[in-house]
Amino acid sequence: MAEITLVEAINQALAFEMQADPNVVVLGEDIAKNGGVFRATVGLLDKFGPERVRDTPLAESMIAGLSIGMASQGLKPVAEFQFMGFIYPALDQIINHASRMRHRTRGRLSCGVVFRTPFGAGIHAPEHHSESTEAIFAHIPGLRVVVPSSPARAYGLLLASIRNPDPVIFLEPSRLYRWAKQVVPNDGKALPLDKCFTLQVGMDITLVTWGAMVKETLAAANRLAKDGISCEIIDVATIKPLDIETILASVEKTGRCIIIHEAARTCGVGAEIAAQVAERGLMFLQAPIQRVTGYDTIVPYARLEKIYIPSENQIIETVNKVMEFA
Amino acid sequence: MKIVAHFEIPYYQIVNEEGKITSDVPEFAKDPDHLIRLYRVMILNRLFDLKAIALTRTGKLGTYPSARGQEAVFAGMGDAIEKEDIFVPYYRDVGTLIQRGVKLKEILLYWGGDERGNAFECGGKDFPYSVPIGTQMLHAAGIATAFRIRGEKRAVLVTCGDGGTSQGDFYEAMNVAGVWKLPVVFVICNNQWAISVPRSQQTASQTLAQKAIAAGFSGEQVDGNDVIAVRERIFLALKNAREKNEPTLLEIVSYRHADHTTADDASRYEPKNQRELEWKNEPIARLYTYMTNLGMWSKEKDQALNEECAALVEQSVQDYASIPSVSPEVMFDYLYAVLPEAYKEQRDMLIKRGESAHG
Ligand SMILES: Cc1ncc(C[n+]2csc(CCOP(=O)(O)OP(=O)(O)O)c2C)c(N)n1
Ligand SMILES: [Mg+2]
């Protein structure tokens, strides 16, 4: 079986679910004829036709509001926002309606939509194309925020998100779209939402991360292994709601915890994880929890973006610091 | 039943695709030097675009949006606007910016991924490119409000694409401009495409210009391949804005003779031959023919001008290449007027990273 990239896995999941469920509708800017600016929806128009694969006018609030309306009538819209930096006009619809339709109508109406968008730096894009603002969505009650970090998880988590009856913000790390290839059987099997994935079992320290930073974290752990430091790597995958049990169980074993994310430091999801580990796992900890994150500044334009993104070296240095502490 | 409202949308053209006059020639266009100035901006824009596209291929520039085929829009706007007015551009613009004083090397710096490209050595209070589509329309309305509040006779000129007209911000800006009688001119650069989505899929309305009607002011279409018409209509609209606080919407109709940006491949969605069919309308040949027929231009002059502009473009590339790179801590510069204590540690970390990267 051929190996596929993360973006191809997204495409495979969309095609599978559109075939399996006639209620699934895909919409967004440039997604039909053009197949999406990252090619995530390529071929869907030909397979499923213009009723179910819709190029929309250029308006993000419209895309979100339409999706909410469609979902209320039993369709399953999977809407693409071209870049995360352009999702903000839709925040009113997402925060004031999508997240709370079920709640305000006491279950009479619901909002089973998936809002997909590429995010993160590292692809030499112009300004506004590189931010990681997942924490905005993670802060909103009623939403799910899901971030895949491999082709297989992209496939399984997207299927799960489409089948999920509540709104999901599905964030695709654009830096990983074509990074690693993997065999992903097109078997329609979803992966669990609301669950972390332990990517590597280790004894000395727990590294908690998601999305594109899985790449640097795996590489750092590889190098640390040569120095005899055994890292346990947890891919959070669903950052809201948070599977804190898996993280706590790991920290109980290793006694050390570092959280790594690309987003700016202040009020990032790392702060929430650190708080929960501190609240419930302080007695396991042999060293202070640390964070390796992006800086509290605007993601720089392309020239400096590499320096903005936390590096393998920064992770290694922080691990060494934690290991030296105790 | 009775009809309670009527409206009409005019279309303006002065010189047609054969270089023939189709309506009265405005005063400015009787001055050969003025026409040559407009022509020169268009040539410079076209050569610069070609160079920029070439630079993206060698990784010296990131993504770049070419204005090929739309040069008349930007040449005309930059010429029509007064120095004291404010210009609020969207990303597909070189021609207006350089007439406002922005350097070609700064435009290269911006698309090369460096914030200093927006710093504008020439100063002034024009806005930088707007990338989030449509948002800039509201900024323009706000600037115009400032002029009204202060009683200044100045106008604002703002641009967006045909796709941009689908955004709520576009309507909101026009709505408030109508209600408050704001001195703002909205220009739609209709190049028939928003990436892969054709104009016909953005709106079912016959023209984009008529969107002004619902906001209570006039809208018009202008032949966007006729730089004389573009310059004249924008000039008059700005004058109305300044003198009578009348907003106007101008839909400048042309064609995108390029991929959306260098990251795009229009062959996936653009009908074959459409570009060739549209090419007979392109603005540079039209003005060339017009001026040559009048005896004010020649092949020799054209060649000399092209050489002069090519040299300027080449020089801008050299200037761009010789700009020293920045150290990483500039990420925190200009984040606030004064960097709060809370972020100094992060800035220091970046200084250390910069040093270790160099050492
Ligand atoms: C709010 C927002 N949504 C999406 C995008 C991505 N995008 C960049 S250009 C573009 C098409 C714009 O078309 P149009 O307004 O016609 O201007 P043109 O590029 O054709 O000059 C899109 C969808 C964006 N920059 N901003
Ligand atoms: Mg356009």
Side-chain angles (χ1 to χ4, degrees), chain A:
Chain A
M1 198 181 285
E3 297 191 323
I4 59 173
T5 61
L6 195 154
V7 71
E8 287 164 343
I10 299 281
N11 184 267
Q12 182 171 297
L14 289 170
F16 184 94
E17 207 56 8
M18 290 195 81
Q19 189 68 50
D21 181 353
N23 284 320
V24 177
V25 173
V26 172
L27 67 154
E29 295 159 10
D30 305 288
I31 60 103
K33 187 109 188 237
N34 194 33
V37 295
F38 285 103
R39 324 296 296 135
T41 52
V42 74
L44 298 180
L45 175 66
D46 288 342
K47 261 185 232 149
F48 302 105
E51 285 297 331
R52 292 177 65 202
V53 182
R54 292 179 168 262
D55 272 331
T56 64
L58 206 175
E60 287 74 14
S61 175
M62 178 209 69
I63 291 171
L66 275 176
S67 301
I68 293 165
M70 291 186 210
S72 72
Q73 304 307 307
L75 289 180
K76 298 226 138 188
V78 183
E80 174 176 306
F81 295 92
Q82 209 160 77
F83 287 89
M84 194 177 203
F86 307 133
I87 203 173
Y88 309 126
L91 285 185
D92 184 24
Q93 293 289 350
I94 294 173
I95 297 174
N96 280 331
H97 295 292
S99 71
R100 65 181 76 186
M101 190 60 84
R102 181 185 301 285
H103 189 262
R104 356 189 341 250
T105 62
R106 303 284 92 189
R108 186 170 58 78
L109 297 176
S110 62
C111 189
V113 303
V114 179
F115 293 128
R116 299 178 36 242
T117 191
F119 81 124
I123 56 163
H124 304 289
E127 59 176 331
H128 305 288
H129 289 68
S130 305
E131 281 75 1
S132 300
T133 47
E134 64 268 24
I136 295 177
F137 299 97
H139 191 64
I140 305 304
L143 294 182
R144 259 193 182 71
V145 184
V146 177
V147 190
S149 65
S150 73
R153 283 189 293 284
Y155 180 78
L157 291 172
L158 183 54
L159 285 177
S161 298
I162 302 172
R163 292 169 194 170
N164 183 276
D166 291 311
V168 176
I169 310 293
F170 194 83
L171 304 175
E172 301 165 6
S174 46
R175 187 151 60 91
L176 301 191
Y177 264 154
R178 294 182 174 83
W179 169 55
K181 287 191 167 194
Q182 202 176 8
V183 171
V184 184
N186 195 12
D187 54 12
K189 281 199 190 122
L191 285 169
L193 297 177
D194 309 350
K195 277 274 165 224
C196 298
F197 295 87
T198 303
L199 302 186
Q200 180 179 307
V201 175
M203 293 310 296
D204 298 327
I205 188 163
T206 302
L207 305 182
V208 182
T209 189
W210 56 91
M213 287 313 300
V214 164
K215 179 170 176 263
E216 282 75 13
T217 305
L218 284 169
N222 234 336
R223 276 170 56 193
L224 286 160
K226 292 183 188 125
D227 298 335
I229 298 172
S230 153
C231 301
E232 180 141 310
I233 300 178
I234 295 179
D235 174 4
V236 180
T238 303
I239 60 179
K240 184 195 185 73
L242 191 63
D243 168 18
I244 194 66
E245 299 304 333
T246 299
I247 297 170
L248 275 174
S250 174
V251 175
E252 180 170 6
K253 180 175 68 176
T254 63
R256 300 176 185 92
C257 181
I258 298 177
I259 304 139
I260 300 137
H261 61 66
E262 185 175 312
R265 191 175 191 81
T266 299
C267 296
V269 174
E272 174 62 28
I273 296 172
Q276 291 202 35
V277 171
E279 280 166 355
R280 295 178 50 194
L282 193 62
M283 54 290 191
F284 312 138
L285 287 170
Q286 298 172 34
I289 304 165
Q290 295 292 307
R291 285 176 291 163
V292 181
T293 68
Y295 297 93
D296 280 319
T297 189
I298 317 294
V299 181
Y301 296 4
R303 282 208 189 166
L304 288 177
E305 67 179 341
K306 259 222 178 89
I307 295 181
Y308 177 89
I309 298 170
S311 67
E312 216 177 291
N313 281 346
Q314 275 169 286
I315 298 169
I316 290 171
E317 279 162 27
T318 310
V319 168
N320 285 332
K321 193 170 87 182
V322 169
M323 295 307 298
E324 278 160 23
F325 188 91

Side-chain angles (χ1 to χ4, degrees), chain B residues 283-302:
Chain B
I284 291 184
R286 185 180 305 193
L287 187 57
Y288 175 92
T289 309
Y290 177 74
M291 294 196 305
T292 312
N293 288 347
L294 287 179
M296 60 173 85
W297 200 241
S298 66
K299 223 179 173 169
E300 295 68 44
K301 285 183 183 165
D302 204 64

Side-chain angles (χ1 to χ4, degrees), chain B residues 296-323:
Chain B
M296 60 173 85
W297 200 241
S298 66
K299 223 179 173 169
E300 295 68 44
K301 285 183 183 165
D302 204 64
Q303 189 168 348
L305 178 72
N306 268 276
E307 279 164 15
E308 185 234 324
C309 290
L312 275 177
V313 169
E314 206 45 59
Q315 185 61 50
S316 75
V317 176
Q318 282 174 27
D319 295 346
Y320 164 62
S322 67
I323 296 169

Side-chain angles (χ1 to χ4, degrees), chain B residues 90 161-163 189-195 256:
Chain B
Y90 86 131
D162 43 304
C189 305
N190 177 3
N191 62 7
Q192 315 300 337
W193 295 98
I195 308 186
R256 194 189 78 200

Side-chain angles (χ1 to χ4, degrees), chain B residues 210-282:
Chain B
Q210 74 202 57
K211 307 224 167 217
I213 304 302
F217 53 88
S218 61
E220 59 185 61
Q221 274 192 342
V222 184
D223 182 342
N225 295 309
D226 175 3
V227 70
I228 299 177
V230 171
R231 192 275 178 193
E232 178 66 0
R233 295 312 306 170
I234 293 176
F235 178 81
L236 292 176
L238 284 166
K239 193 161 177 286
N240 269 341
R242 259 180 245 115
E243 290 171 6
K244 299 187 212 149
N245 287 314
E246 264 177 26
T248 308
L249 174 65
L250 294 108
E251 176 191 355
I252 317 277
V253 186
S254 63
Y255 195 80
R256 194 189 78 200
H257 285 280
D259 293 334
H260 167 70
T261 64
T262 48
D264 176 46
D265 175 4
S267 70
R268 288 184 193 130
Y269 54 80
E270 188 180 25
K272 271 210 187 79
N273 305 330
Q274 191 164 346
R275 260 190 229 178
E276 285 96 314
L277 286 175
E278 297 282 348
W279 189 246
K280 67 172 190 311
N281 294 321
E282 72 86 23

